[in-house]
């Protein structure tokens, strides 16, 4: 590949520098950065963000074209550069010289390679929107415009809404380019050492008339919380260790009991807010505390404002605060102190997000929907999650015997037809059997949709081949019923339970197994004797009501005394 050097270009007095990955064919043809489709996309984004391209300095991490990753693979940019003889360290050194020469107040880093070059970090989805410092300059990373063109084929993100997220990041970079300093939120984060400290924290903000308390918990890898983060104001958070064992704290037991009493009063006295707080509230209740009033949940508020956007705390933090991403920066990988400080920060950040969301909520006129509908859901779903269904164990044992025998019969029929044992849940084995060995009409996969389309072919008339495909599909349904439904594990009170998530893009709710840290897993052995951990419960929404299987599955559940099931 011929080497064409594509230098940075633009306003040498620019306050904002735009940094991409490297030139493509369009750039090497013109000798200018950001031409062709990606350049047009960048121009559109700049216009929508109110940024003049002529006022910026535009460049790339590498000034030479580097081939893209092969289809289906993701090879880091530095490795691909090395494969074609480009010294990426030399390119980074040249980039540093370029930045020192231009002296921008802020760099808008486009894509994961630009993020890596400036900071050594790799996860663009985590760090986009964060105000960071690298190569001696303030910078903000966002997605590369090229990925808007081919996001369906393995880009950095999925979702049409990322264009609007990128415009937000562009606007933030423009605002930050007006001054060179890195100005981040200042937060006073404390780890409670005594009941006296907690009392002082409480009285400080009570005297200032605070009415709402932001609460966050951390489980530390367990299914019960080990600490609780509290914040009355976005500038001040305190984490309260809940135990004095396993290195969690050295607070004397008598004083720890006093701390629990103070926490109980605070949780009952104030309107509480949190992020996805039904999870936190369930854990807090298991310790005996009472949440008197859940006043706001930032996950539900985000759903009311932008249902198609992610709802996690880190994403909303990038939109509504200037707090840089911190979740994987030692909070979970470091010491307990790091975890506790992160918990206090979570409480502060959640409070700030909640306050900043109010303007959007009112502008969109979504407050009535949020307050009178969405905020009614947590209590309802908590009751569903904690109640579950009574299980008729005798009926379940009967069904397990029935379906295991059914599975064995289907396996035997299939073996007689093909002459070998076939695991119908193995895509590779099914593919080899159907398309390589038996030469059936080729399909793109071996899933239910592909095999059903095969059966629907008018030309697919071989009765033995049709029977084989039908047996594969039927045995999959039977084995799925055994694994997912009949062998689902009830909670310790003997009731089958689910977990609810109310914020899908469509407005629907979904259900799922109660994976840790919601509830602990149970160790068991599969049919081969291999140990594995299985979560409690199962997603209720997948409980079919069709055919014999649906009737069987539903027959193992019984209504509580005095109640009946209706459908």
């Amino acid at each position: 590949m011929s080497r064409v050097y594509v230098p940075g270009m633009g306003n040498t007095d620019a306050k904002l520098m735009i940094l991409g990955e490297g030139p493509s064919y369009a750039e090497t043809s013109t000798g200018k950065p950001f031409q062709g489709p990606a350049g047009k996309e960048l121009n559109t984004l700049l216009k929508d963000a109110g940024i003049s391209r002529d006022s910026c300095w535009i460049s790339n991490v590498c000034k030479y074209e580097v081939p893209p990753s092969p289809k289906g693979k993701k090879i880091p940019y530095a490795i691909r550069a090395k494969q074609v003889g480009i010294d990426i360290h030399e390119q980074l050194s040249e980039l540093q010289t370029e930045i020192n020469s231009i002296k921008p107040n802020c760099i808008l880093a486009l894509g994961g390679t630009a993020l890596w070059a400036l900071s050594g970090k790799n996860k663009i989805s985590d760090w986009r929107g964060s105000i960071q410092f690298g190569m001696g300059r303030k910078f903000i990373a966002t997605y590369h415009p090229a990925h808007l063109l081919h996001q369906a084929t393995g880009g950095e993100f999925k979702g049409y809404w990322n264009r609007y997220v990128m415009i937000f990041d562009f606007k933030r970079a423009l605002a930050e380019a007006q001054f060179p300093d890195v100005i981040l939120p200042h937060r006073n984060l404390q780890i409670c050492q005594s009941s006296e400290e907690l009392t002082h924290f409480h009285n400080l903000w009570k005297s200032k008339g605070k009415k709402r308390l932001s609460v966050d918990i951390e489980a530390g890898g367990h299914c019960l919380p080990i600490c609780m983060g509290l914040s009355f104001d976005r500038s001040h958070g305190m984490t309260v260790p809940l135990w004095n064992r396993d290195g969690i704290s050295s607070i004397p037991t008598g004083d720890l009991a006093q701390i629990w009493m103070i926490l109980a009063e605070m949780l009952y006295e104030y309107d509480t807010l949190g992020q996805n707080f039904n999870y936190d509230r369930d854990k807090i209740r298991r310790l005996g505390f009472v949440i008197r009033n859940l006043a706001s949940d930032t996950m539900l508020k985000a759903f009311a404002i932008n249902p198609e956007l992610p709802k996690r705390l880190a994403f909303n933090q990038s939109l509504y605060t200037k707090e840089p991403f911190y979740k994987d920066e030692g909070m979970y990988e470091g010491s307990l102190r790091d975890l506790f400080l992160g918990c206090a920060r979570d409480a502060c950040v959640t409070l700030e997000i909640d306050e900043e969301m109010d303007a959007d909520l009112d502008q969109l006129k979504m407050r009535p929907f949020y307050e009178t509908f969405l905020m009614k859901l947590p209590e309802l779903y908590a009751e569903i999650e904690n109640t579950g269904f009574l299980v008729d164990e005798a009926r379940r044992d009967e069904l397990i015997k029935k379906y295991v025998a059914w599975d064995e019969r289907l396996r035997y029929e299939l073996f007689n037809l093909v002459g070998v044992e076939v695991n119908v849940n193995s895509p590779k084995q099914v593919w080899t059997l159907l398309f390589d060995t038996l030469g059936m009409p080729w399909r793109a996969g071996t899933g239910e949709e592909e095999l059903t389309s095969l059966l629907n072919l008018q030309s697919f008339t071989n009765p033995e081949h049709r029977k084989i495909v039908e047996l594969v599909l039927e045995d999959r349904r039977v084995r799925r019923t055994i694994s997912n439904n009949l062998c689902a594990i009830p909670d310790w009170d003997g009731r089958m339970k689910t977990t609810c998530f109310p914020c899908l893009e469509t407005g629907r709710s979904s259900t799922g197994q109660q994976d840790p840290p919601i509830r602990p897993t149970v160790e068991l052995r599969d049919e081969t004797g291999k140990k594995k951990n299985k979560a409690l419960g199962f997603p209720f929404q997948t409980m079919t009501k069709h055919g014999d299987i649906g009737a069987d599955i539903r027959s193992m559940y019984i209504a509580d005394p005095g109640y009946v099931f209706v459908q």
Side-chain angles (χ1 to χ4, degrees), residues 326-381:
Y326 60 90
K327 283 290 187 178
D328 293 333
E329 292 300 288
M331 178 176 173
Y332 295 118
E333 295 80 11
S335 65
L336 276 176
R337 174 179 170 80
D338 295 320
L339 180 68
F340 290 166
L341 291 177
C343 184
R345 193 182 303 276
D346 276 348
C348 292
V349 169
T350 300
L351 181 59
E352 181 176 357
I353 292 170
D354 186 73
E355 292 173 347
E356 294 297 323
M357 280 180 167
D358 281 335
D360 286 348
L361 195 69
D362 291 330
Q363 182 181 356
L364 295 169
K365 296 182 171 58
M366 295 300 289
R367 186 171 294 278
F369 172 66
Y370 171 65
E371 293 182 347
T372 63
F373 179 72
L374 289 182
M375 284 306 297
K376 304 296 182 184
L377 295 180
E379 197 68 49
L380 169 68
Y381 282 127

Side-chain angles (χ1 to χ4, degrees), residues 37 78 114 154 159 318 373 391 397 412 523 564:
S318 74
F373 179 72
V391 180
D397 290 344
Y412 182 68
E523 186 181 277
V564 295

Side-chain angles (χ1 to χ4, degrees), residues 156-230:
E156 290 176 335
F157 55 78
K158 294 180 181 179
Y160 73 92
W161 42 264
N162 280 285
R163 173 182 296 278
Y164 301 98
V165 174
M166 291 172 68
I167 292 171
F168 173 87
D169 294 337
F170 276 48
K171 290 180 177 179
R172 173 169 282 183
L174 176 62
E176 291 295 321
Q178 306 311 308
F179 53 92
D181 306 309
V182 177
I183 302 175
L184 299 176
H186 173 73
R187 308 193 197 275
N188 177 16
L189 305 177
Q190 291 180 258
I191 301 174
C192 180
Q193 304 294 332
S194 66
S195 60
E196 182 181 2
E197 283 190 7
L198 181 57
T199 300
H200 177 75
F201 172 79
H202 180 198
N203 290 339
L204 171 66
W205 294 107
K206 185 176 184 178
S207 66
K208 295 184 179 183
K210 297 292 184 177
K211 303 294 184 184
R212 300 202 307 168
L213 176 64
S214 176
V215 178
D216 180 73
I217 63 166
E218 294 295 340
H222 307 284
C223 289
L224 286 177
I226 64 170
C227 65
M228 190 181 302
L230 309 171

